[in-house]
Amino acid sequence: MSLFLSLRDSRHACLPLYAQRQQNAECNRDRITRAAVAIQSIRRGVVKRRQIKHMKHSATRLQRIWRGFVARQLATYRSMVRDQSRAQMLWYNAARTIQKTFRAFYCRRYKHSYYERKAYLGTVAIKDQNVREVSEAIAERMYEERTQVLDEQEREEFETLTSDLHHLKSTSSIPGVFNSPYVEPLKAFGVPMEDHLQNSFKTGKFCHRHLRRALGNEMYTRTYTRFGQSASLASGTSSQRYQHSSMPRPVASYKLQTIQEPIADNA
């Protein structure tokens, strides 16, 4: 009690100190507040980082445990499915072998005979050989006929092309284009071109028309009728003209005797 009274009596002496300290505290309030806030933020950051680290570690552990559990379950399921498929395939192969064996036995015993099938295959082979021989013979005959037709067409085309080329034949003084003295004479179908030109001109209508004009109608008819040649070779349409020779007038009567014999020989 005495202490309290002594302090109560000395209160007036400490008021200036209290006022000074309160003033100092008021002046340092902002700095102290910022320092306290900094300390609190640092502490809270440390605590929060510790909590986050612990939570991350816990979450990683939980995920690892869960993933391991799920992986083990999946591996177990796949192993079970693999074993089932292997067992099923084994039974399927065994059943297939049994069915194949029984079907082969039943087919050989009750449906197909080995010797009958062998005889049938032999008959089929013989028939196939006969058909092959007939087909080859027909094909060969058709090939020969086609070849013959093509040869005839080529020969007809060649005769058509050479029927009006007698002006290219050699004369006694000038060799023709197909009988050059510098090269070997050309041949067609194994015959020299000169012979082709001569024969085609002898049998052509232009030669007979020329002879009719040169000998006269009466002498020409008498001569070629006697040697079995028809005068119709000289006939033709008015549009087809003799292009490679002049149209001589009939020869005189005194020349008929000298011309008749060479013409008869050539005919």
Side-chain angles (χ1 to χ4, degrees), residues 91-245:
W91 287 107
Y92 280 170
N93 290 333
R96 190 180 298 113
T97 303
I98 295 172
Q99 292 176 1
K100 179 175 64 177
T101 306
F102 178 75
R103 287 171 182 170
F105 165 75
Y106 186 83
C107 182
R108 289 192 300 269
R109 183 68 178 273
Y110 298 104
K111 288 189 176 182
H112 299 287
S113 175
Y114 169 76
Y115 299 101
E116 292 180 0
R117 191 172 183 82
K118 185 176 180 180
Y120 171 73
L121 293 177
T123 305
V124 170
I126 294 173
K127 185 180 294 183
D128 179 70
Q129 184 65 25
N130 295 334
V131 172
R132 189 183 299 275
E133 292 177 356
V134 172
S135 301
E136 290 178 356
I138 292 175
E140 185 176 0
R141 187 170 65 253
M142 292 178 64
Y143 175 77
E144 293 177 355
E145 293 177 356
R146 190 180 300 109
T147 305
Q148 184 177 0
V149 170
L150 292 177
D151 292 342
E152 292 178 357
Q153 291 179 356
E154 290 179 358
R155 189 174 292 276
E156 290 178 359
E157 184 178 1
F158 178 77
E159 291 177 357
T160 302
L161 293 174
T162 59
S163 61
D164 200 18
L165 299 178
H166 59 278
H167 56 283
L168 301 179
K169 188 179 179 300
S170 301
T171 61
S172 58
S173 59
I174 300 175
V177 294
F178 298 110
N179 192 23
S180 176
Y182 305 104
V183 295
E184 185 179 357
L186 298 178
K187 294 183 179 181
F189 302 102
V191 180
M193 286 295 298
E194 292 282 333
D195 297 342
H196 281 295
L197 294 177
Q198 184 175 0
N199 295 331
S200 63
F201 183 68
K202 283 182 178 180
T203 58
K205 56 181 177 296
F206 296 115
C207 178
H208 289 273
R209 185 181 300 175
H210 179 79
L211 291 175
R212 181 184 290 275
R213 289 178 179 273
L215 298 176
N217 192 16
E218 182 179 356
M219 187 64 185
Y220 172 80
T221 304
R222 185 170 63 252
T223 301
Y224 283 93
T225 304
R226 181 178 60 183
F227 287 97
Q229 296 185 3
S230 175
S232 62
L233 293 173
S235 63
T237 59
S238 59
S239 61
Q240 296 179 348
R241 300 291 183 180
Y242 183 63
Q243 302 175 0
H244 305 290
S245 177

Side-chain angles (χ1 to χ4, degrees), residues 10-23:
S10 62
R11 65 180 183 276
H12 297 289
C14 64
L15 286 177
L17 181 61
Y18 172 75
Q20 184 179 359
R21 290 184 177 181
Q22 189 175 6
Q23 184 179 3

